[in-house]
Structures are given as structure tokens and as C-alpha cells.
Amino acid sequence: MMQQIYPAPAHSYRYELNKDFQFAAAHYVPHEEAGACRRLHGHTYFANITVVGDELNESGFLVNFQDIKNLIHKRFDHTVLNEDSLFDDMDPNHFPTTEAVARKFWEVIQESLNKLPNQPRCLQVFLRETPTSYVVFRPRKEDFQ
Ligand SMILES: Nc1nc2c(c(=O)[nH]1)N=C([C@H](O)[C@H](O)COP(=O)(O)OP(=O)(O)OP(=O)(O)O)CN2
Ligand SMILES: [Zn+2]
């Protein structure tokens, strides 16, 4: 797995957890500006997820590292992203661009974290699509419920 230094979100929570994982997926970007990316092609995506909080759960975890990975990896590994119900080929805000994929991942993760009594928060999704291209998604305050 690629090791690298990530941008760090500013916060004052006691704990910050980071989970790295990778998955393989195919996609296409259904717009003429996407050039060759209009055609179906694949990537090994590399993700780094940052979760923060002040309280640990009964296991002594902020959240289980594996739970963070599973939320994304089980759903998207070896899939065509465009076929997932999260995406919509008719709406640019929901095309599986790196930007939108990173935002959708945040939504999936935070929705799950909202169910936990210790209320962890996902502050950053770093998503690398190619060796030379990545996106960092950071939610605004109003994105949290
Ligand atoms: N802002 C965005 N631009 C592009 C996206 C995107 O998601 N957001 N996606 C693509 C393509 O899907 C492509 O897979 C990645 O593009 P690119 O960085 O051009 O890939 P290369 O490996 O060919 O980059 P080089 O640096 O030229 O090797 C396009 N743009
Ligand atoms: Zn691509």
C-alpha cells in the first residue's frame, strides 16, 4: 500500500483516528469534457479517512478501524461506481468524479457514525484516483445533522 503524508484537518477533539485502505473499481464520467474518461475504465482507489471524537466506546475504540473500511470496501470493491444507487449519470453533482465519490464516502461514513453513542465525526476523506490525482473532501459544520 502506498504510504504518504496527508493534509490534516484542524480540530480540538481529543482523539483523531485515520484509516487507510484501497479498492478497485471502474467508472466513467458521462460528459464530453471528460475526454477519455467518458469510456469505462478502472482505478485502484486509495482512501484515507479521518474520524475524530472526545469519547471512546465500550471497546476502548473511537470507532473500529475495520468498520470504517467495510462501509466502503464491501460496497464498492470490484464494482462499477456508476451502477451504485449513490450515483446518477444524469446529474453532474452525482457523477462518480473523484470529488463526488469523496463526498459520497463522507455521507456513507457519517450516516453510520451518527448511530454511535460516542458520536464520532468524519472530518476528512482523502481519495486518490491515480498516482497523480486526488481530492480531499472536508464537510462544513452544517453538513453534520
Ligand atoms: N476534477 C476532476 N478531473 C478529472 C477527473 C475527476 O474525477 N475530477 N477524472 C478524470 C479521469 O477519470 C481520470 O481517471 C483521471 O484523470 P488524470 O489525472 O488526467 O489521469 P492520468 O493518470 O492520465 O494523469 P497524468 O498525470 O496525465 O498521468 C479526469 N479529470
Ligand atoms: Zn477515472
Side-chain angles (χ1 to χ4, degrees), residues 27 29 34 37 41 43 96-99 129-133 135:
H27 77 149
V29 179
C37 298
H41 61 282
H43 298 287
T97 61
T98 323
E99 292 90 332
E129 187 173 279
T130 77
T132 58
S133 305
V135 160

Side-chain angles (χ1 to χ4, degrees), residues 47-80:
N48 168 265
I49 310 296
T50 304
V51 176
V52 298
D54 284 325
E55 307 298 334
L56 304 184
N57 66 16
E58 65 285 353
S59 311
F61 297 159
L62 183 57
V63 61
N64 191 318
F65 289 126
Q66 283 303 316
D67 291 346
I68 297 294
K69 176 181 174 181
N70 286 340
L71 282 168
I72 303 301
H73 197 274
K74 280 190 192 292
R75 180 165 179 175
F76 297 103
D77 186 45
H78 287 76
T79 67
V80 177

Side-chain angles (χ1 to χ4, degrees), residues 75-76 79-88 94 108:
R75 180 165 179 175
F76 297 103
T79 67
V80 177
L81 298 178
N82 303 67
E83 293 175 356
D84 190 282
S85 59
L86 283 179
F87 299 104
D88 180 354
H94 302 283
V108 167

